C-alpha cells in the first residue's frame, strides 16, 4: 500500500459577484506547483496550491493541505479543506 503525492492549483474567479473555482491545473511536483502558483496568481483573483496524499491503489485520501494561497480564497473552500 503506497501513497501517491499529487499537486494541483485551484484558481478562483468572480462570477455573479461570488468567487467560484475555475478549472484545476495539475502540477508535476511541489516545486512546479509553487512556481506555477506564483505565475498564475498574477491573473487569477484567488489561487490555492494544493497537496494531496492518497493511496495509489484505492484512491483514499490520507492528507490534504494547502501549500500556498494567493489573492482571495472563498471561506467555504477553506472550511472544506479543513474538514477533510
Amino acid at each position: 500500500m503506497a501513497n501517491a503525492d499529487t499537486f494541483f492549483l485551484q484558481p478562483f474567479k468572480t462570477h455573479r459577484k461570488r468567487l467560484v473555482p475555475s478549472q484545476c491545473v495539475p502540477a508535476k511536483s511541489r516545486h512546479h506547483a509553487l512556481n506555477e502558483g506564483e505565475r498564475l496568481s498574477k491573473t487569477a483573483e484567488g489561487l490555492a496550491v494544493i497537496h494531496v496524499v492518497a493511496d495509489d491503489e484505492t484512491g483514499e485520501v490520507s492528507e490534504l493541505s494547502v501549500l500556498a494561497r494567493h489573492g482571495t480564497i472563498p471561506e467555504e473552500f477553506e472550511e472544506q479543506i479543513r474538514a477533510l
Side-chain angles (χ1 to χ4, degrees), residues 23-75:
Q23 185 173 356
C24 263
V25 178
K28 298 173 186 174
S29 66
R30 179 185 193 99
H31 181 73
H32 181 244
L34 292 170
N35 283 344
E36 282 295 295
E38 286 288 327
R39 187 180 69 78
L40 291 176
S41 70
K42 295 174 181 155
T43 58
E45 295 176 50
L47 184 120
V49 179
I50 311 293
H51 174 222
V52 179
V53 179
D55 185 294
D56 62 351
E57 292 177 10
T58 65
E60 185 177 332
V61 175
S62 61
E63 181 182 338
L64 186 97
S65 58
V66 178
L67 299 178
R69 295 170 179 82
H70 301 280
T72 306
I73 307 293
E75 283 184 35

